[in-house]
Amino acid sequence: MTIRTVGLVGGGTMGQGIAITCAASGLDVLLLEKTPELARQSVEEIGHALDRDIAKWRRTESEKKAILGRVRTVDALEALEAADIVIECVMEDLELKTSIFQKLDQVCPPEDILATNTSSLSVTEIAARTRRSDRVIGLHFLQPVPQVPLVEVVRGLGTSDATFRQAMEFVRLLGKTGVEVFEY
């Protein structure tokens, strides 16, 4: 499976950092927030973060333009059907996350990987609310996402070896080092 498009649910600090990292790696990003206004604000914040990078000589103006050109906001969860992997990065609320995963399970093709950025909730519990626990994994990015080279790749009890390998390859594509983590 080749990943070309990343769906993001949540455009807060973590979602913005993941969007920058994915777009800087040449991937298209579909960003979903609660409202179109919040999505627009997220993209504005991404622009401000890139301006700070330019001021610190970490990026160029043309890199900023390319990154912003790869980030597109969407208004509905159904639009994430076009993504190859969807990363949820909303607040640490199990009911909210499981609700999102149930909906993603209905709209995304069965071969898509559904990932959570949770740092404390059970990937297994989140995956149990889908029909594809083998395709659910944790991708815990660390803040600030564009600068920290590490991503915890968290296997749920049902996560398949194939999903784990694809997630590790995705993390490498982003220029990050994946560290395998098991739930306990």
Side-chain angles (χ1 to χ4, degrees):
M1 175 183 166
T2 302
I3 295 176
R4 291 189 179 92
T5 304
V6 178
L8 289 175
V9 180
T13 302
M14 291 305 290
Q16 292 167 25
I18 295 168
I20 290 169
T21 301
C22 291
S25 298
L27 301 172
D28 292 324
V29 176
L30 303 174
L31 177 65
L32 176 68
E33 248 298 349
K34 286 185 232 177
T35 67
E37 175 61 21
L38 286 173
R40 186 191 61 71
Q41 288 174 6
S42 291
V43 173
E44 277 182 23
E45 287 300 319
I46 289 170
H48 295 317
L50 294 172
D51 287 338
R52 288 189 296 276
D53 282 352
I54 291 168
K56 294 178 182 179
W57 296 81
R58 284 193 285 235
R59 297 193 199 273
T60 65
E61 196 64 47
S62 61
E63 287 172 319
K64 173 187 174 183
K65 184 177 180 181
I67 290 168
L68 288 174
R70 290 186 192 104
V71 177
R72 185 169 57 101
T73 61
V74 294
D75 294 340
L77 205 66
E78 290 75 17
L80 298 179
E81 175 187 13
D84 304 303
I85 183 171
V86 178
I87 305 169
E88 163 275 314
C89 37
V90 300
M91 68 176 123
E92 296 290 284
D93 177 318
L94 183 61
E95 281 309 309
L96 175 61
K97 288 180 184 284
T98 56
S99 170
I100 289 168
F101 272 78
Q102 282 179 310
K103 292 171 188 164
L104 288 171
D105 188 38
Q106 293 170 8
V107 300
C108 293
E111 65 274 8
D112 282 6
I113 294 173
L114 304 181
T116 178
N117 186 53
T118 187
S119 60
S120 61
L121 300 174
S122 168
V123 173
T124 301
E125 217 172 324
I126 293 168
R129 300 279 287 273
T130 72
R131 294 167 296 176
R132 62 172 98 189
S133 61
D134 62 316
R135 301 295 290 162
V136 177
I137 196 159
L139 290 177
H140 180 225
F141 290 83
L142 304 171
Q143 183 64 6
V145 176
Q147 279 83 44
V148 178
L150 188 70
V151 177
E152 294 175 331
V153 182
V154 186
R155 295 176 81 128
L157 290 177
T159 304
S160 71
D161 290 339
T163 298
F164 174 74
R165 283 191 303 273
Q166 289 170 330
M168 289 294 278
E169 184 57 37
F170 170 69
V171 167
R172 278 191 289 279
L173 176 67
L174 300 180
K176 307 281 186 190
T177 301
V179 175
E180 183 175 16
V181 177
F182 292 93
E183 284 190 339
Y184 63 92

